[in-house]
Amino acid sequence: MWKKILLISFNLVLAVYLALAMMAFNKPDGTVVCRDVNITIEEDIMPGFLTCDDVRRMLISDHLSPVGKAMETINLREMEEALEGKELIESAECWKTQDNVVEINIHQRIPVIRVMNSKGEDYYVDSKGRPMPHTQYSCKLIVTTGDIDHQYAAKVLAPLANLINKDEFWKSEIVQFNILADGSVEMVPRVGDHIVYLGQPTGVKKKLERLKKFYRYGLNEAGWNKYSRVSVEYNNQIICKKK
């Protein structure tokens, strides 16, 4: 009889042990905490303003940093919406990994030109023509001065800056645009003591191709400081004004 009692007791203990073991093994994900956040900022043709530390500070400021929180309680959509609400961020994608890390992929708004107009306004314009606020960050951009409103900046300056930035030669050569009262464009090059007059901002790609050939085959022979003004306003000709 005592053997039977002992066997039943052993089976009960074993059953309780197995039940507890199964409960421990099947603990919900909420008991697992996020051990790190990995942030990737996509590269572009132009450097942006944001760093990974900036994004971390944004999350901490909004009380959305996932580090140390239970994985089950982390709301990825809330994080994405909060980040996409920032002025310098275009889009954000967040996801969880199996090793308890939250991954964040950031596409930032890329400033392509800085506007300092005759009204005293100072702001950036992104690659899609949208104004961006002046920030504490700095990056190397073409400065544009003169008679500029937001519509001109969006429709003319952004496409012009995008065109310049896609060409390594012009990207390093042009440092400033100046917009005249009639909407025509002057360019200030890095090399050469002259002003380039584009005229109205139409057919700019062909004008730049013509100017590049003039730089290569003309100024390299005549000297980069011989002229004070170089105009590519008209088709198939370049008009130069000597100093």
Side-chain angles (χ1 to χ4, degrees):
M1 193 69 183
W2 63 269
K3 289 182 179 180
K4 187 176 181 180
I5 294 173
L6 184 61
L7 182 60
I8 293 172
S9 299
F10 176 77
N11 287 336
L12 286 173
V13 171
L14 181 60
V16 171
Y17 171 79
L18 290 174
L20 292 175
M22 289 296 292
M23 290 176 61
F25 182 77
N26 292 316
K27 282 184 178 179
D29 290 340
T31 61
V32 180
V33 299
C34 175
R35 63 179 182 83
D36 198 6
V37 56
N38 184 33
I39 299 168
T40 301
I41 299 177
E42 295 296 330
E43 298 291 335
D44 209 300
I45 59 173
M46 291 292 293
F49 292 130
L50 285 175
T51 65
C52 294
D53 287 338
D54 295 327
V55 178
R56 288 190 179 91
R57 282 191 287 268
M58 290 175 184
L59 292 172
I60 292 172
S61 177
D62 291 342
H63 306 290
L64 292 175
S65 176
V67 179
K69 292 182 179 180
M71 293 294 288
E72 187 181 62
T73 64
I74 296 172
N75 188 329
L76 298 178
R77 186 57 194 157
E78 184 181 14
M79 291 173 60
E80 290 174 347
E81 290 177 350
L83 290 172
E84 289 173 353
K86 307 300 182 183
E87 289 181 310
L88 300 179
I89 294 179
E90 181 73 34
S91 64
E93 297 175 337
C94 305
W95 66 94
K96 303 174 185 177
T97 67
Q98 292 183 344
D99 55 349
N100 305 321
V101 173
V102 170
E103 296 276 349
I104 300 177
N105 194 325
I106 297 290
H107 289 266
Q108 60 180 322
R109 293 176 61 189
I110 301 299
V112 293
I113 202 162
R114 181 176 179 178
V115 174
M116 302 175 69
N117 64 21
S118 56
K119 299 177 183 178
E121 295 177 320
D122 185 355
Y123 60 93
Y124 299 98
V125 176
D126 71 10
S127 56
K128 295 183 179 180
R130 297 168 299 184
M132 297 176 65
H134 193 282
T135 73
Q136 62 183 358
Y137 307 104
S138 62
C139 60
K140 188 177 178 181
L141 296 175
I142 297 174
V143 175
T144 305
T145 56
D147 292 310
I148 309 162
D149 57 22
H150 287 274
Q151 184 178 9
Y152 187 94
K155 292 186 176 181
V156 176
L157 292 183
L160 180 57
N162 288 334
L163 181 64
I164 293 293
N165 292 329
K166 289 178 181 177
D167 187 301
E168 288 299 323
F169 175 79
W170 293 121
K171 185 178 176 181
S172 61
E173 174 66 3
I174 303 303
V175 296
Q176 183 178 342
F177 292 129
N178 184 52
I179 311 304
L180 304 181
D182 62 353
S184 59
V185 181
E186 293 178 330
M187 297 195 310
V188 180
R190 188 181 306 278
V191 179
D193 191 16
H194 59 269
I195 299 296
V196 175
Y197 183 63
L198 288 179
Q200 294 299 319
T202 57
V204 174
K205 187 175 181 179
K206 291 184 177 180
K207 291 177 181 179
L208 291 177
E209 289 173 354
R210 192 160 71 250
L211 181 62
K212 186 184 288 188
K213 290 179 181 178
F214 174 70
Y215 276 2
R216 184 176 299 167
Y217 303 111
L219 291 189
N220 276 340
E221 297 294 332
W224 285 78
N225 297 320
K226 183 175 182 179
Y227 303 107
S228 62
R229 188 175 181 85
V230 175
S231 173
V232 291
E233 178 183 13
Y234 303 109
N235 291 333
N236 302 319
Q237 60 179 301
I238 295 176
I239 301 173
C240 301
K241 181 180 180 181
K242 288 185 178 181
K243 285 187 177 180

